[in-house]
Amino acid sequence: MSLVIDTNMRVFADKLNITSTRMINDYGLSTVDEIIKAEAAQGNTSAVKYAKEYYNSPEKLIEIFKLTDIENKFVIINEMDEETRLKLLPMLKPEELVMGLYFYTKDKLLAMLMKVDIEELVNVILEAFPFEEIIKMLTEEDLEYFFLNKDLEKKDVVKQLKALPHDVMQKFIEGVTGMPAEETNPDELIESLAALPDDKFAKFMSKIDPDVQRQLVYQLTKEKPDYLTLFENETYVNMLSTMMKSDMVPPMVMLEKETLVEMISQL
């Protein structure tokens, strides 16, 4: 004689997308709680969705939440109330939180990155692109903004001017003097520029040849990476906008966990 399940359990099995045969063979005398937990742990999305309807308490949802895979975690998060969501999100690791960003459109992600701390965004951009590529992607407007920034130390700029590669130094001299580089003493030229008041020096450097500026930024940020924070969020967001969303999301693991939690909480 074959075993059968009653009508209520058959309805339950249908909701969890489980066949009657498997319900009998796998879960014979198991409770509803035990079946939901087992199915959630196996990645049964239907079981996860049903758990949201079945359990009224956040504690029960949290228990299921811990068992599920990352995709099902966000099935739960996407439709829960704000209070419960804020309890659950801190339980996720940064690499799990990042997966939730795939639920957003690319435009939404870029808009959110415009608001994060520049230090965090720099970490993302360094993860997303090789350092040399970042420097190449800087626009003339970005470079001008950088050299006008009051947090850029004149002494550091002067130091890197003196360390310019020979070919770049020639371009710098000829651009400034309008004369062949051989006719100008580089050290004397740089010292005369260094004698300018800080504001006039900054304004002068903001207008020199972009290729020279780019080389200086490379040298300055290579020696002092914190100078990368002198650019605006828009500079780095524009760089990220050149990527496919699937390539843009993984580097966001470099954001602080608190930032990721705040971003995901907007789901």
Side-chain angles (χ1 to χ4, degrees):
M1 182 176 67
S2 61
L3 294 173
V4 296
I5 59 176
D6 63 29
T7 302
N8 289 335
M9 289 304 287
R10 187 176 294 111
V11 171
F12 176 59
D14 288 342
K15 284 183 176 292
L16 268 60
N17 197 26
I18 302 173
T19 64
S20 297
T21 301
R22 193 158 80 81
M23 178 68 83
I24 293 170
N25 293 339
D26 293 355
Y27 299 117
L29 299 176
S30 299
T31 66
V32 170
D33 279 3
E34 290 169 340
I35 296 171
I36 290 175
K37 289 177 186 177
E39 288 297 310
Q42 293 177 46
N44 184 339
T45 305
S46 296
V48 175
K49 290 180 178 178
Y50 183 72
K52 292 185 303 184
E53 302 170 7
Y54 184 77
Y55 295 120
N56 294 319
S57 68
E59 289 72 22
K60 280 289 187 181
L61 269 179
I62 288 171
E63 190 174 353
I64 295 297
F65 182 83
K66 291 177 179 177
L67 292 171
T68 60
D69 62 23
I70 188 64
E71 181 178 350
N72 283 343
K73 280 181 170 68
F74 283 102
V75 170
I76 296 174
I77 290 170
N78 199 35
E79 296 182 21
M80 64 176 46
D81 63 85
E82 184 177 1
E83 181 182 356
T84 306
R85 181 186 297 137
L86 293 177
K87 289 181 180 179
L88 295 178
L89 287 175
M91 295 180 182
L92 289 173
K93 300 175 183 176
E95 55 269 25
E96 292 179 315
L97 286 165
V98 166
M99 296 299 293
L101 299 180
Y102 285 107
F103 283 72
Y104 291 113
T105 65
K106 180 177 175 179
D107 286 345
K108 175 64 174 177
L109 285 173
L110 294 172
M112 288 193 289
L113 289 173
M114 287 292 290
K115 299 177 182 178
V116 306
D117 289 344
I118 189 65
E119 291 82 1
E120 294 183 55
L121 189 52
V122 166
N123 290 334
V124 170
I125 210 74
L126 288 171
E127 184 74 8
F129 298 104
F131 182 78
E132 291 77 8
E133 186 67 21
I134 295 170
I135 304 303
K136 288 179 182 177
M137 294 171 74
L138 294 169
T139 67
E140 292 186 18
E141 290 76 14
D142 294 329
L143 294 167
E144 181 177 1
Y145 179 86
F146 179 85
F147 284 100
L148 288 173
N149 196 300
K150 293 181 179 179
D151 289 328
L152 178 62
E153 295 282 348
K154 182 167 75 171
K155 61 181 176 59
D156 290 336
V157 179
V158 170
K159 176 184 176 181
Q160 296 306 329
L161 274 172
K162 294 177 178 179
L164 284 172
H166 180 70
D167 58 330
V168 183
M169 179 66 81
Q170 283 189 312
K171 179 175 284 192
F172 171 66
I173 293 172
E174 291 171 359
V176 171
T177 66
M179 299 170 58
E182 296 77 14
E183 299 179 15
T184 302
N185 183 309
D187 292 333
E188 290 181 0
L189 174 61
I190 293 170
E191 289 303 324
S192 68
L193 293 173
L196 292 171
D198 290 358
D199 58 338
K200 290 186 177 181
F201 177 81
K203 188 172 183 179
F204 176 85
M205 294 303 301
S206 74
K207 299 300 183 183
I208 64 173
D209 186 285
D211 290 337
V212 179
Q213 289 178 323
R214 194 168 278 107
Q215 177 62 34
L216 285 169
V217 171
Y218 174 81
Q219 294 173 199
L220 284 160
T221 54
K222 199 74 172 176
E223 182 166 304
K224 293 188 176 182
D226 284 352
Y227 274 149
L228 287 169
T229 65
L230 299 190
F231 293 100
E232 296 181 297
N233 282 45
E234 185 177 4
T235 294
Y236 297 125
V237 168
N238 286 340
M239 292 180 186
L240 290 169
S241 71
T242 66
M243 306 175 78
M244 299 289 291
K245 187 176 81 169
S246 58
D247 296 323
M248 187 177 78
V249 171
M252 294 189 198
V253 73
M254 302 304 294
L255 294 170
E256 295 293 329
K257 184 174 181 179
E258 293 76 11
T259 301
L260 287 168
V261 167
E262 183 179 350
M263 292 169 75
I264 299 301
S265 68
Q266 300 179 42
L267 279 172

